[in-house]
Amino acid sequence: TDALMRVDRVLGPFDVGIVHSMGGAATALAVSRGLRVKRAVLLGAPARLDWVLQATAKQLGLSSSTTGLFLKEVERAVDVPISHGDIGSATQNAGIPALIIHDQRDREIPFEHAKHFSNNWPRCELVPTEGLGHRRTMTDSSIHQRVFEFLR
């Protein structure tokens, strides 16, 4: 998020941000903090930082005590409490339109994250997909067409 805000200061404003997964989370948080972008397209983005970090710890096979240390280190590094990591709710005041595309059976980022964005982002349209998983939303021609329609 900080990197996006720095790039925005130098190169912004932007017409659109089209982002996937953690890039979507970072962009949504940056939008909530004033990123100068006219529209956002989020593909398979997580809406909760605490969930992402817990999932990462689980994937790495960390014990509960090591997970606790990991979470504290992340909090220290980003200087934000993990409990403040509700990115979906942070978009409640987002003044730009967003297109949220997420597969209903995404095995990496559950569909509930897309619903959380959709329930909070005022000018948001949720496009659920079926059978594309976490990554194929980026390469599917029907998704490309839907994004082009959103940008018109």
Side-chain angles (χ1 to χ4, degrees):
T1 300
D2 290 339
L4 288 171
M5 299 305 285
R6 286 192 300 272
V7 169
D8 180 37
R9 283 192 294 275
V10 176
L11 301 174
F14 302 99
D15 289 328
V16 64
I18 302 175
V19 289
H20 178 255
S21 200
M22 287 302 294
T27 299
L29 188 55
V31 164
S32 77
R33 295 179 177 175
L35 181 72
R36 296 175 303 155
V37 63
K38 294 178 185 172
R39 296 172 183 264
V41 178
L42 278 60
L43 301 146
R48 296 194 56 92
L49 180 60
D50 57 345
W51 180 89
V52 170
L53 295 173
Q54 291 286 349
T56 300
K58 185 177 179 181
Q59 281 182 328
L60 294 172
L62 302 181
S63 68
S64 58
S65 61
T66 304
T67 297
L69 294 171
F70 169 64
L71 296 177
K72 285 181 182 176
E73 181 59 24
V74 170
E75 282 184 335
R76 187 197 62 72
V78 299
D79 197 30
V80 174
I82 299 303
S83 60
H84 294 172
D86 186 347
I87 301 161
S89 292
T91 62
Q92 288 178 341
N93 297 317
I96 65 166
L99 184 65
I100 309 296
I101 300 171
H102 205 114
D103 196 80
Q104 295 178 62
R105 296 187 183 175
D106 187 327
R107 291 183 186 166
E108 295 182 41
I109 310 291
F111 185 70
E112 287 70 30
H113 289 263
K115 289 194 280 189
H116 189 55
F117 275 122
S118 179
N119 290 334
N120 285 283
W121 199 312
R123 297 172 59 198
C124 171
E125 180 182 350
L126 175 59
V127 177
T129 64
E130 185 72 41
L132 295 178
H134 187 65
R135 290 181 177 79
R136 287 194 316 256
T137 55
M138 294 183 291
T139 59
D140 184 81
S141 62
S142 67
I143 297 300
H144 295 168
Q145 185 60 40
R146 182 63 194 89
V147 170
F148 292 142
E149 289 168 11
F150 174 72
L151 297 177
R152 286 190 184 130

CSV table of all heavy atoms in Angstrom, one decimal, residues 47-109:
chain,number,residue,atom,x,y,z
A,47,ALA,N,-9.9,-9.8,1.5
A,47,ALA,CA,-10.5,-8.6,2.2
A,47,ALA,C,-10.0,-8.5,3.6
A,47,ALA,O,-10.4,-7.5,4.3
A,47,ALA,CB,-12.0,-8.7,2.1
A,48,ARG,N,-9.3,-9.5,4.1
A,48,ARG,CA,-8.9,-9.4,5.6
A,48,ARG,C,-7.4,-9.8,5.7
A,48,ARG,O,-7.1,-10.9,5.4
A,48,ARG,CB,-9.8,-10.3,6.4
A,48,ARG,CG,-11.2,-9.9,6.4
A,48,ARG,CD,-12.0,-10.6,7.5
A,48,ARG,NE,-11.4,-10.4,8.8
A,48,ARG,CZ,-11.7,-9.4,9.7
A,48,ARG,NH1,-12.6,-8.6,9.3
A,48,ARG,NH2,-11.1,-9.3,10.8
A,49,LEU,N,-6.6,-8.9,6.2
A,49,LEU,CA,-5.2,-9.2,6.4
A,49,LEU,C,-5.0,-10.3,7.4
A,49,LEU,O,-4.1,-11.1,7.2
A,49,LEU,CB,-4.5,-7.9,6.8
A,49,LEU,CG,-3.0,-8.0,7.1
A,49,LEU,CD1,-2.3,-8.4,5.8
A,49,LEU,CD2,-2.4,-6.7,7.6
A,50,ASP,N,-5.7,-10.3,8.5
A,50,ASP,CA,-5.6,-11.3,9.5
A,50,ASP,C,-5.8,-12.7,8.9
A,50,ASP,O,-5.0,-13.6,9.2
A,50,ASP,CB,-6.5,-11.1,10.7
A,50,ASP,CG,-7.9,-11.0,10.4
A,50,ASP,OD1,-8.3,-10.9,9.2
A,50,ASP,OD2,-8.8,-11.1,11.3
A,51,TRP,N,-6.8,-12.9,8.0
A,51,TRP,CA,-7.0,-14.2,7.4
A,51,TRP,C,-5.8,-14.5,6.5
A,51,TRP,O,-5.3,-15.7,6.5
A,51,TRP,CB,-8.3,-14.1,6.5
A,51,TRP,CG,-8.5,-15.4,5.9
A,51,TRP,CD1,-9.2,-16.5,6.4
A,51,TRP,CD2,-8.0,-15.9,4.6
A,51,TRP,NE1,-9.2,-17.5,5.5
A,51,TRP,CE2,-8.5,-17.2,4.4
A,51,TRP,CE3,-7.2,-15.3,3.6
A,51,TRP,CZ2,-8.2,-17.9,3.3
A,51,TRP,CZ3,-6.9,-16.0,2.5
A,51,TRP,CH2,-7.4,-17.3,2.3
A,52,VAL,N,-5.3,-13.6,5.7
A,52,VAL,CA,-4.2,-13.9,4.8
A,52,VAL,C,-3.0,-14.3,5.7
A,52,VAL,O,-2.3,-15.3,5.3
A,52,VAL,CB,-3.8,-12.6,4.0
A,52,VAL,CG1,-2.4,-12.8,3.3
A,52,VAL,CG2,-4.9,-12.2,3.1
A,53,LEU,N,-2.7,-13.7,6.7
A,53,LEU,CA,-1.5,-14.0,7.5
A,53,LEU,C,-1.7,-15.4,8.2
A,53,LEU,O,-0.7,-16.2,8.3
A,53,LEU,CB,-1.2,-12.9,8.6
A,53,LEU,CG,-0.8,-11.6,7.9
A,53,LEU,CD1,-0.7,-10.5,9.0
A,53,LEU,CD2,0.5,-11.8,7.2
A,54,GLN,N,-2.9,-15.7,8.7
A,54,GLN,CA,-3.2,-17.0,9.3
A,54,GLN,C,-3.0,-18.1,8.3
A,54,GLN,O,-2.5,-19.1,8.5
A,54,GLN,CB,-4.5,-17.0,10.0
A,54,GLN,CG,-4.7,-16.1,11.2
A,54,GLN,CD,-4.0,-16.7,12.4
A,54,GLN,OE1,-3.5,-17.9,12.4
A,54,GLN,NE2,-3.9,-15.9,13.5
A,55,ALA,N,-3.6,-17.8,7.1
A,55,ALA,CA,-3.5,-18.8,6.0
A,55,ALA,C,-2.0,-19.1,5.6
A,55,ALA,O,-1.6,-20.2,5.3
A,55,ALA,CB,-4.3,-18.4,4.8
A,56,THR,N,-1.2,-18.0,5.5
A,56,THR,CA,0.2,-18.1,5.2
A,56,THR,C,0.9,-18.9,6.3
A,56,THR,O,1.7,-19.8,5.9
A,56,THR,CB,0.8,-16.7,5.1
A,56,THR,OG1,0.2,-16.0,4.0
A,56,THR,CG2,2.3,-16.8,4.8
A,57,ALA,N,0.6,-18.7,7.5
A,57,ALA,CA,1.3,-19.4,8.6
A,57,ALA,C,0.9,-20.9,8.5
A,57,ALA,O,1.7,-21.8,8.7
A,57,ALA,CB,0.9,-18.8,10.0
A,58,LYS,N,-0.4,-21.2,8.2
A,58,LYS,CA,-0.8,-22.6,8.1
A,58,LYS,C,-0.1,-23.3,6.9
A,58,LYS,O,0.3,-24.4,7.0
A,58,LYS,CB,-2.3,-22.6,7.9
A,58,LYS,CG,-2.9,-24.0,7.8
A,58,LYS,CD,-4.4,-23.9,7.7
A,58,LYS,CE,-5.0,-25.4,7.7
A,58,LYS,NZ,-6.4,-25.4,7.6
A,59,GLN,N,0.0,-22.5,5.7
A,59,GLN,CA,0.7,-23.1,4.6
A,59,GLN,C,2.1,-23.4,4.8
A,59,GLN,O,2.7,-24.4,4.3
A,59,GLN,CB,0.6,-22.2,3.4
A,59,GLN,CG,-0.7,-22.2,2.7
A,59,GLN,CD,-0.7,-21.2,1.5
A,59,GLN,OE1,-0.1,-20.2,1.5
A,59,GLN,NE2,-1.5,-21.6,0.4
A,60,LEU,N,2.7,-22.6,5.7
A,60,LEU,CA,4.1,-22.8,6.0
A,60,LEU,C,4.3,-23.9,7.1
A,60,LEU,O,5.4,-24.2,7.4
A,60,LEU,CB,4.8,-21.5,6.5
A,60,LEU,CG,4.9,-20.4,5.4
A,60,LEU,CD1,5.3,-19.1,6.1
A,60,LEU,CD2,5.8,-20.8,4.3
A,61,GLY,N,3.2,-24.3,7.7
A,61,GLY,CA,3.3,-25.3,8.7
A,61,GLY,C,3.8,-24.8,10.1
A,61,GLY,O,4.4,-25.5,10.8
A,62,LEU,N,3.5,-23.5,10.3
A,62,LEU,CA,4.0,-22.9,11.6
A,62,LEU,C,3.2,-23.4,12.8
A,62,LEU,O,2.0,-23.5,12.7
A,62,LEU,CB,4.0,-21.4,11.5
A,62,LEU,CG,4.8,-20.7,10.4
A,62,LEU,CD1,4.6,-19.2,10.5
A,62,LEU,CD2,6.2,-21.1,10.4
A,63,SER,N,3.9,-23.6,13.9
A,63,SER,CA,3.2,-23.9,15.1
A,63,SER,C,2.4,-22.7,15.6
A,63,SER,O,2.6,-21.6,15.1
A,63,SER,CB,4.2,-24.4,16.2
A,63,SER,OG,5.0,-23.2,16.6
A,64,SER,N,1.5,-22.9,16.6
A,64,SER,CA,0.8,-21.7,17.1
A,64,SER,C,1.7,-20.7,17.7
A,64,SER,O,1.5,-19.5,17.6
A,64,SER,CB,-0.3,-22.2,18.0
A,64,SER,OG,0.2,-22.9,19.1
A,65,SER,N,2.7,-21.1,18.4
A,65,SER,CA,3.6,-20.2,19.1
A,65,SER,C,4.4,-19.4,18.0
A,65,SER,O,4.6,-18.2,18.1
A,65,SER,CB,4.5,-20.8,20.1
A,65,SER,OG,5.3,-21.8,19.5
A,66,THR,N,4.9,-20.1,17.0
A,66,THR,CA,5.6,-19.5,15.9
A,66,THR,C,4.7,-18.5,15.1
A,66,THR,O,5.1,-17.5,14.7
A,66,THR,CB,6.3,-20.5,15.0
A,66,THR,OG1,7.1,-21.4,15.8
A,66,THR,CG2,7.1,-19.9,13.9
A,67,THR,N,3.4,-18.9,14.9
A,67,THR,CA,2.5,-18.1,14.2
A,67,THR,C,2.3,-16.8,15.0
A,67,THR,O,2.3,-15.7,14.4
A,67,THR,CB,1.1,-18.8,14.1
A,67,THR,OG1,1.3,-19.9,13.2
A,67,THR,CG2,0.1,-17.9,13.5
A,68,GLY,N,2.2,-16.9,16.3
A,68,GLY,CA,2.1,-15.7,17.1
A,68,GLY,C,3.3,-14.7,16.9
A,68,GLY,O,3.1,-13.5,16.8
A,69,LEU,N,4.5,-15.3,16.9
A,69,LEU,CA,5.7,-14.5,16.7
A,69,LEU,C,5.7,-13.9,15.2
A,69,LEU,O,6.1,-12.7,15.1
A,69,LEU,CB,6.9,-15.4,16.8
A,69,LEU,CG,7.2,-15.9,18.3
A,69,LEU,CD1,8.4,-16.9,18.3
A,69,LEU,CD2,7.5,-14.7,19.2
A,70,PHE,N,5.2,-14.7,14.3
A,70,PHE,CA,5.1,-14.2,12.9
A,70,PHE,C,4.2,-13.0,12.8
A,70,PHE,O,4.5,-12.0,12.2
A,70,PHE,CB,4.6,-15.4,12.0
A,70,PHE,CG,4.2,-15.0,10.6
A,70,PHE,CD1,5.1,-14.5,9.7
A,70,PHE,CD2,2.9,-15.2,10.2
A,70,PHE,CE1,4.7,-14.1,8.4
A,70,PHE,CE2,2.5,-14.9,8.9
A,70,PHE,CZ,3.4,-14.3,8.0
A,71,LEU,N,3.0,-13.1,13.5
A,71,LEU,CA,2.0,-12.0,13.4
A,71,LEU,C,2.6,-10.8,14.1
A,71,LEU,O,2.4,-9.7,13.6
A,71,LEU,CB,0.7,-12.5,14.1
A,71,LEU,CG,0.0,-13.6,13.4
A,71,LEU,CD1,-1.3,-14.0,14.2
A,71,LEU,CD2,-0.4,-13.2,12.0
A,72,LYS,N,3.3,-11.0,15.2
A,72,LYS,CA,3.9,-9.8,15.9
A,72,LYS,C,4.9,-9.1,15.0
A,72,LYS,O,5.1,-7.9,15.0
A,72,LYS,CB,4.4,-10.2,17.2
A,72,LYS,CG,3.4,-10.5,18.3
A,72,LYS,CD,4.0,-10.9,19.6
A,72,LYS,CE,2.9,-11.1,20.6
A,72,LYS,NZ,3.3,-11.6,21.9
A,73,GLU,N,5.7,-9.9,14.3
A,73,GLU,CA,6.8,-9.4,13.5
A,73,GLU,C,6.2,-8.6,12.3
A,73,GLU,O,6.6,-7.6,11.9
A,73,GLU,CB,7.7,-10.5,13.0
A,73,GLU,CG,8.8,-10.0,12.1
A,73,GLU,CD,9.8,-9.0,12.8
A,73,GLU,OE1,9.9,-9.0,14.0
A,73,GLU,OE2,10.4,-8.3,12.0
A,74,VAL,N,5.1,-9.2,11.7
A,74,VAL,CA,4.4,-8.4,10.6
A,74,VAL,C,3.9,-7.1,11.2
A,74,VAL,O,4.0,-6.1,10.5
A,74,VAL,CB,3.3,-9.3,10.0
A,74,VAL,CG1,2.4,-8.5,9.1
A,74,VAL,CG2,3.9,-10.5,9.3
A,75,GLU,N,3.2,-7.2,12.3
A,75,GLU,CA,2.7,-5.9,12.9
A,75,GLU,C,3.8,-4.9,13.1
A,75,GLU,O,3.6,-3.7,12.8
A,75,GLU,CB,2.0,-6.2,14.3
A,75,GLU,CG,0.7,-6.8,14.2
A,75,GLU,CD,0.0,-7.0,15.5
A,75,GLU,OE1,0.7,-7.1,16.6
A,75,GLU,OE2,-1.2,-7.0,15.5
A,76,ARG,N,4.9,-5.4,13.6
A,76,ARG,CA,6.1,-4.5,13.8
A,76,ARG,C,6.6,-3.9,12.5
A,76,ARG,O,6.8,-2.7,12.4
A,76,ARG,CB,7.2,-5.2,14.5
A,76,ARG,CG,8.4,-4.3,15.0
A,76,ARG,CD,9.6,-5.0,15.3
A,76,ARG,NE,10.2,-5.8,14.2
A,76,ARG,CZ,10.8,-5.2,13.1
A,76,ARG,NH1,10.9,-4.0,13.0
A,76,ARG,NH2,11.3,-6.0,12.2
A,77,ALA,N,6.7,-4.7,11.5
A,77,ALA,CA,7.2,-4.3,10.2
A,77,ALA,C,6.3,-3.3,9.5
A,77,ALA,O,6.8,-2.4,8.9
A,77,ALA,CB,7.5,-5.6,9.3
A,78,VAL,N,5.0,-3.5,9.6
A,78,VAL,CA,4.1,-2.6,8.8
A,78,VAL,C,3.5,-1.5,9.7
A,78,VAL,O,2.9,-0.6,9.3
A,78,VAL,CB,2.9,-3.4,8.1
A,78,VAL,CG1,3.5,-4.4,7.1
A,78,VAL,CG2,2.1,-4.1,9.2
A,79,ASP,N,3.8,-1.6,11.0
A,79,ASP,CA,3.4,-0.6,12.0
A,79,ASP,C,1.9,-0.4,12.0
A,79,ASP,O,1.4,0.7,12.1
A,79,ASP,CB,4.1,0.7,11.8
A,79,ASP,CG,4.0,1.6,13.0
A,79,ASP,OD1,3.9,1.1,14.1
A,79,ASP,OD2,4.0,2.8,12.8
A,80,VAL,N,1.2,-1.5,11.8
A,80,VAL,CA,-0.3,-1.5,11.8
A,80,VAL,C,-0.7,-2.8,12.6
A,80,VAL,O,-0.3,-3.9,12.2
A,80,VAL,CB,-0.9,-1.5,10.4
A,80,VAL,CG1,-2.4,-1.7,10.5
A,80,VAL,CG2,-0.5,-0.3,9.7
A,81,PRO,N,-1.6,-2.7,13.6
A,81,PRO,CA,-2.1,-3.9,14.3
A,81,PRO,C,-2.8,-4.8,13.3
A,81,PRO,O,-3.6,-4.3,12.4
A,81,PRO,CB,-3.0,-3.4,15.3
A,81,PRO,CG,-2.7,-1.9,15.5
A,81,PRO,CD,-2.1,-1.5,14.2
A,82,ILE,N,-2.6,-6.1,13.4
A,82,ILE,CA,-3.3,-7.0,12.5
A,82,ILE,C,-4.8,-6.9,12.7
A,82,ILE,O,-5.6,-7.0,11.7
A,82,ILE,CB,-2.9,-8.5,12.9
A,82,ILE,CG1,-1.4,-8.7,12.7
A,82,ILE,CG2,-3.7,-9.5,12.1
A,82,ILE,CD1,-0.9,-8.4,11.3
A,83,SER,N,-5.3,-6.5,13.8
A,83,SER,CA,-6.7,-6.3,14.1
A,83,SER,C,-7.3,-5.2,13.2
A,83,SER,O,-8.5,-5.1,13.0
A,83,SER,CB,-7.0,-6.1,15.5
A,83,SER,OG,-6.3,-4.9,16.0
A,84,HIS,N,-6.4,-4.3,12.7
A,84,HIS,CA,-6.9,-3.2,11.8
A,84,HIS,C,-6.9,-3.6,10.4
A,84,HIS,O,-7.0,-2.8,9.5
A,84,HIS,CB,-6.0,-2.0,12.0
A,84,HIS,CG,-6.2,-1.4,13.4
A,84,HIS,ND1,-5.4,-0.4,13.8
A,84,HIS,CD2,-7.0,-1.7,14.4
A,84,HIS,CE1,-5.8,0.0,15.1
A,84,HIS,NE2,-6.7,-0.8,15.4
A,85,GLY,N,-6.7,-4.9,10.1
A,85,GLY,CA,-6.5,-5.4,8.7
A,85,GLY,C,-7.8,-5.7,8.0
A,85,GLY,O,-7.7,-6.5,7.1
A,86,ASP,N,-8.9,-5.2,8.3
A,86,ASP,CA,-10.2,-5.4,7.6
A,86,ASP,C,-10.3,-4.5,6.4
A,86,ASP,O,-10.8,-3.4,6.5
A,86,ASP,CB,-11.4,-5.2,8.6
A,86,ASP,CG,-12.7,-5.6,7.9
A,86,ASP,OD1,-12.7,-5.8,6.7
A,86,ASP,OD2,-13.7,-5.7,8.7
A,87,ILE,N,-9.7,-5.0,5.4
A,87,ILE,CA,-9.5,-4.2,4.1
A,87,ILE,C,-10.9,-3.9,3.5
A,87,ILE,O,-11.2,-2.8,3.0
A,87,ILE,CB,-8.6,-4.8,3.1
A,87,ILE,CG1,-7.2,-5.0,3.8
A,87,ILE,CG2,-8.5,-4.0,1.9
A,87,ILE,CD1,-6.3,-6.0,3.1
A,88,GLY,N,-11.7,-4.9,3.5
A,88,GLY,CA,-13.1,-4.8,3.0
A,88,GLY,C,-13.9,-3.7,3.6
A,88,GLY,O,-14.5,-2.8,2.9
A,89,SER,N,-13.8,-3.6,4.9
A,89,SER,CA,-14.6,-2.5,5.6
A,89,SER,C,-13.9,-1.2,5.4
A,89,SER,O,-14.6,-0.2,5.4
A,89,SER,CB,-14.6,-2.8,7.1
A,89,SER,OG,-15.4,-4.0,7.4
A,90,ALA,N,-12.6,-1.2,5.2
A,90,ALA,CA,-11.9,0.1,5.0
A,90,ALA,C,-12.4,0.8,3.7
A,90,ALA,O,-12.2,2.0,3.5
A,90,ALA,CB,-10.4,-0.1,4.9
A,91,THR,N,-13.0,0.0,2.8
A,91,THR,CA,-13.5,0.6,1.5
A,91,THR,C,-14.9,1.2,1.6
A,91,THR,O,-15.4,1.7,0.6
A,91,THR,CB,-13.5,-0.5,0.4
A,91,THR,OG1,-14.4,-1.5,0.8
A,91,THR,CG2,-12.1,-1.1,0.2
A,92,GLN,N,-15.4,1.3,2.8
A,92,GLN,CA,-16.8,1.9,3.0
A,92,GLN,C,-16.9,3.3,2.4
A,92,GLN,O,-18.0,3.7,2.0
A,92,GLN,CB,-17.2,1.8,4.4
A,92,GLN,CG,-17.5,0.5,4.9
A,92,GLN,CD,-17.9,0.4,6.4
A,92,GLN,OE1,-17.6,1.4,7.2
A,92,GLN,NE2,-18.5,-0.6,6.8
A,93,ASN,N,-15.8,4.0,2.4
A,93,ASN,CA,-15.8,5.4,2.0
A,93,ASN,C,-15.1,5.6,0.6
A,93,ASN,O,-14.8,6.7,0.2
A,93,ASN,CB,-15.1,6.3,3.0
A,93,ASN,CG,-15.9,6.4,4.3
A,93,ASN,OD1,-17.1,6.4,4.3
A,93,ASN,ND2,-15.2,6.3,5.4
A,94,ALA,N,-14.9,4.4,-0.1
A,94,ALA,CA,-14.3,4.5,-1.4
A,94,ALA,C,-15.2,5.2,-2.4
A,94,ALA,O,-16.4,4.9,-2.5
A,94,ALA,CB,-13.9,3.1,-1.9
A,95,GLY,N,-14.7,6.3,-3.0
A,95,GLY,CA,-15.5,7.1,-3.9
A,95,GLY,C,-15.5,6.7,-5.3
A,95,GLY,O,-16.0,7.4,-6.2
A,96,ILE,N,-14.8,5.6,-5.6
A,96,ILE,CA,-14.7,5.2,-7.0
A,96,ILE,C,-15.4,3.9,-7.3
A,96,ILE,O,-15.6,3.1,-6.3
A,96,ILE,CB,-13.2,5.0,-7.4
A,96,ILE,CG1,-12.6,3.9,-6.6
A,96,ILE,CG2,-12.4,6.3,-7.2
A,96,ILE,CD1,-11.2,3.4,-7.2
A,97,PRO,N,-15.8,3.6,-8.5
A,97,PRO,CA,-16.5,2.3,-8.8
A,97,PRO,C,-15.4,1.2,-8.8
A,97,PRO,O,-14.3,1.4,-9.2
A,97,PRO,CB,-17.1,2.5,-10.2
A,97,PRO,CG,-16.5,3.7,-10.8
A,97,PRO,CD,-15.8,4.5,-9.6
A,98,ALA,N,-15.9,0.0,-8.4
A,98,ALA,CA,-15.0,-1.2,-8.4
A,98,ALA,C,-15.8,-2.4,-9.0
A,98,ALA,O,-17.0,-2.5,-8.9
A,98,ALA,CB,-14.6,-1.5,-7.0
A,99,LEU,N,-15.0,-3.2,-9.7
A,99,LEU,CA,-15.5,-4.4,-10.2
A,99,LEU,C,-14.7,-5.5,-9.5
A,99,LEU,O,-13.5,-5.6,-9.5
A,99,LEU,CB,-15.2,-4.5,-11.7
A,99,LEU,CG,-15.8,-5.7,-12.4
A,99,LEU,CD1,-17.3,-5.7,-12.4
A,99,LEU,CD2,-15.3,-5.7,-13.9
A,100,ILE,N,-15.5,-6.4,-8.7
A,100,ILE,CA,-14.9,-7.4,-7.9
A,100,ILE,C,-15.2,-8.7,-8.7
A,100,ILE,O,-16.4,-9.1,-8.8
A,100,ILE,CB,-15.5,-7.5,-6.5
A,100,ILE,CG1,-15.4,-6.1,-5.8
A,100,ILE,CG2,-14.8,-8.6,-5.7
A,100,ILE,CD1,-14.0,-5.5,-5.6
A,101,ILE,N,-14.2,-9.4,-9.1
A,101,ILE,CA,-14.3,-10.7,-9.8
A,101,ILE,C,-13.7,-11.8,-9.0
A,101,ILE,O,-12.5,-11.6,-8.6
A,101,ILE,CB,-13.7,-10.6,-11.3
A,101,ILE,CG1,-14.4,-9.5,-12.1
A,101,ILE,CG2,-13.8,-12.0,-11.9
A,101,ILE,CD1,-13.7,-9.2,-13.4
A,102,HIS,N,-14.4,-12.8,-8.7
A,102,HIS,CA,-13.9,-13.8,-7.8
A,102,HIS,C,-14.6,-15.1,-8.1
A,102,HIS,O,-15.9,-15.2,-8.2
A,102,HIS,CB,-14.2,-13.4,-6.3
A,102,HIS,CG,-13.3,-14.0,-5.3
A,102,HIS,ND1,-12.4,-13.2,-4.6
A,102,HIS,CD2,-13.1,-15.2,-4.9
A,102,HIS,CE1,-11.7,-14.0,-3.8
A,102,HIS,NE2,-12.1,-15.2,-4.0
A,103,ASP,N,-13.9,-16.2,-8.1
A,103,ASP,CA,-14.5,-17.5,-8.4
A,103,ASP,C,-15.1,-18.0,-7.1
A,103,ASP,O,-14.5,-18.0,-6.0
A,103,ASP,CB,-13.4,-18.5,-8.9
A,103,ASP,CG,-14.1,-19.7,-9.5
A,103,ASP,OD1,-14.5,-19.6,-10.7
A,103,ASP,OD2,-14.2,-20.8,-8.8
A,104,GLN,N,-16.3,-18.6,-7.2
A,104,GLN,CA,-17.0,-19.1,-6.1
A,104,GLN,C,-16.4,-20.3,-5.4
A,104,GLN,O,-16.6,-20.6,-4.3
A,104,GLN,CB,-18.5,-19.4,-6.5
A,104,GLN,CG,-19.2,-18.2,-6.9
A,104,GLN,CD,-20.6,-18.5,-7.3
A,104,GLN,OE1,-21.4,-19.0,-6.5
A,104,GLN,NE2,-20.9,-18.3,-8.6
A,105,ARG,N,-15.5,-20.9,-6.1
A,105,ARG,CA,-14.7,-22.1,-5.6
A,105,ARG,C,-13.2,-21.9,-5.5
A,105,ARG,O,-12.5,-22.8,-5.6
A,105,ARG,CB,-15.1,-23.3,-6.4
A,105,ARG,CG,-16.5,-23.7,-6.3
A,105,ARG,CD,-16.8,-25.0,-7.0
A,105,ARG,NE,-18.3,-25.2,-6.9
A,105,ARG,CZ,-18.9,-26.2,-7.5
A,105,ARG,NH1,-18.2,-27.1,-8.1
A,105,ARG,NH2,-20.2,-26.3,-7.4
A,106,ASP,N,-12.9,-20.6,-5.4
A,106,ASP,CA,-11.4,-20.3,-5.3
A,106,ASP,C,-10.9,-21.0,-4.1
A,106,ASP,O,-11.4,-20.8,-3.0
A,106,ASP,CB,-11.3,-18.7,-5.1
A,106,ASP,CG,-9.9,-18.3,-5.1
A,106,ASP,OD1,-9.0,-19.0,-4.7
A,106,ASP,OD2,-9.7,-17.1,-5.6
A,107,ARG,N,-9.8,-21.8,-4.3
A,107,ARG,CA,-9.3,-22.6,-3.2
A,107,ARG,C,-8.2,-21.8,-2.4
A,107,ARG,O,-7.8,-22.2,-1.3
A,107,ARG,CB,-8.6,-23.9,-3.7
A,107,ARG,CG,-9.6,-24.8,-4.3
A,107,ARG,CD,-9.0,-26.1,-4.7
A,107,ARG,NE,-9.9,-27.0,-5.4
A,107,ARG,CZ,-9.6,-28.0,-6.1
A,107,ARG,NH1,-8.4,-28.3,-6.3
A,107,ARG,NH2,-10.6,-28.7,-6.7
A,108,GLU,N,-7.8,-20.7,-2.9
A,108,GLU,CA,-6.7,-19.9,-2.2
A,108,GLU,C,-7.3,-18.8,-1.4
A,108,GLU,O,-6.9,-18.5,-0.3
A,108,GLU,CB,-5.7,-19.4,-3.3
A,108,GLU,CG,-4.9,-20.5,-3.9
A,108,GLU,CD,-3.9,-20.1,-4.9
A,108,GLU,OE1,-3.2,-19.1,-4.6
A,108,GLU,OE2,-3.8,-20.7,-5.9
A,109,ILE,N,-8.3,-18.0,-2.0
A,109,ILE,CA,-8.9,-16.9,-1.3
A,109,ILE,C,-10.4,-17.2,-1.4
A,109,ILE,O,-11.0,-17.1,-2.5
A,109,ILE,CB,-8.6,-15.6,-2.0
A,109,ILE,CG1,-7.1,-15.3,-2.2
A,109,ILE,CG2,-9.3,-14.4,-1.1
A,109,ILE,CD1,-6.3,-15.2,-0.9
